[in-house]
Amino acid sequence: MSPGAARIRVTGLGLTAPGVDRPDRALEIQPDAPAGWFHTATALPGRGYRRLPPGALYLLAAARAAWTDRGPWIAAVPAASRGAVVGTNNVGASLIEEFDRTIIDLGAAALSPARAPYMAMSMFAARLAPEHELRAFDLTTNSPAVAGLDALQAAARALAAGRASVVLAGAVEEPPAPIQRLDHPRGSRDDGADPGAAFDAGAAVLVCEPAEESAGGGFGYGHCSVRSAFLPEQDSDTVSAVLDALWDELADEGPPPARIDTVLDDSATGRAVAAWLGRRVTRGSITAVPTAPGGGCLTPVRRVLGRLAAPGQNRARTAVLAASAHGHISIADVTPTRQALTRRHTH
């Protein structure tokens, strides 16, 4: 369990997802990704992108949007003080299946030299380093459900330790390969929206800076911190003890969150966490966000991004809680600035 939670100040937002064209629409339910939904020439004008796999393109487009959103100040940050942390679980899954089939049918010599390096998940974030001159670090976190929130937590720790002055952090996902997919049940929501659960596709990137104001000015969409834990068992007593400790830490930092977004599948862990919420949380609006079993880690980061970009009347402290079937739990504490931002994402 995390002993505490370093905070980050979020100063730029970028989102690439089917049916969503800007961060202030990130809370809308994501449809299944139709073929051809991403247009490289529009999202990434320029040369050098044609041979990259889809996941790398989604991430580069979201990162470019977030970088641009932060504004010209970021160019003054030395390259040695810029880093990136990206979470993923399923990115490149279909590509790996394609590699396997090629090797079985034709042999390894038939693999594309341009795409073969993407056998390693860490390669999907590697292009961020030369694209944005990131020389502090370029890391990838891999885990079902929580890897994106893990990336935000790692970014916060790096900033607090002085390892970087600015970090691009977020998640990128593609739907699982057909051979990996399971029939996924329909979830439920408390806001009347379509309850269908789609597989994660796209990318969400946040520009993260130290929580205190820096030379770049005090601008920010708000603050975020992440606490995480692992449940060795999914029995009621273990779940309650672990989550009570995380929730008490959250409560020590201010009034209870006005909203709770939960990203839970129909696993033993998901059911145990949902039951704990029913027992422990008596105040605040809870939104259960549909998620497919075996889905990715993008949805929780989308919720963080969407809460930070929400219009003024919806800008309230929110806890985004995600759990994996394996027992990993993460809670993001999202505190938007009080006033809605009018210079971005409103056109």
Side-chain angles (χ1 to χ4, degrees), residues 223-297:
H223 292 84
C224 178
S225 62
V226 177
R227 293 167 172 81
S228 60
F230 177 72
L231 296 170
E233 304 290 343
Q234 280 75 51
D235 62 277
S236 177
D237 289 344
T238 301
V239 171
S240 293
V242 171
L243 284 171
D244 281 346
L246 291 178
W247 200 256
D248 288 343
E249 270 192 33
L250 203 67
D252 287 343
E253 296 190 358
R259 294 187 178 89
I260 303 167
D261 292 349
T262 64
V263 186
L264 308 171
D265 64 14
D266 190 29
S267 64
T269 303
R271 292 191 295 272
V273 173
W276 173 85
L277 278 168
R279 294 192 303 270
R280 174 70 191 262
V281 179
T282 57
R283 299 178 61 183
S285 172
I286 297 177
T287 299
V289 183
T291 185
C297 68

Side-chain angles (χ1 to χ4, degrees), residues 277-338:
L277 278 168
R279 294 192 303 270
R280 174 70 191 262
V281 179
T282 57
R283 299 178 61 183
S285 172
I286 297 177
T287 299
V289 183
T291 185
C297 68
L298 178 60
T299 295
V301 180
R302 276 188 60 161
R303 302 303 294 188
V304 172
L305 183 149
R307 291 301 182 188
L308 290 168
Q313 65 270 23
N314 294 319
R315 302 178 67 76
R317 188 184 185 201
T318 301
V320 178
L321 191 160
S324 76
H326 307 287
H328 296 95
I329 295 174
S330 288
I331 303 177
D333 180 12
V334 185
T335 307
T337 53
R338 291 187 177 183

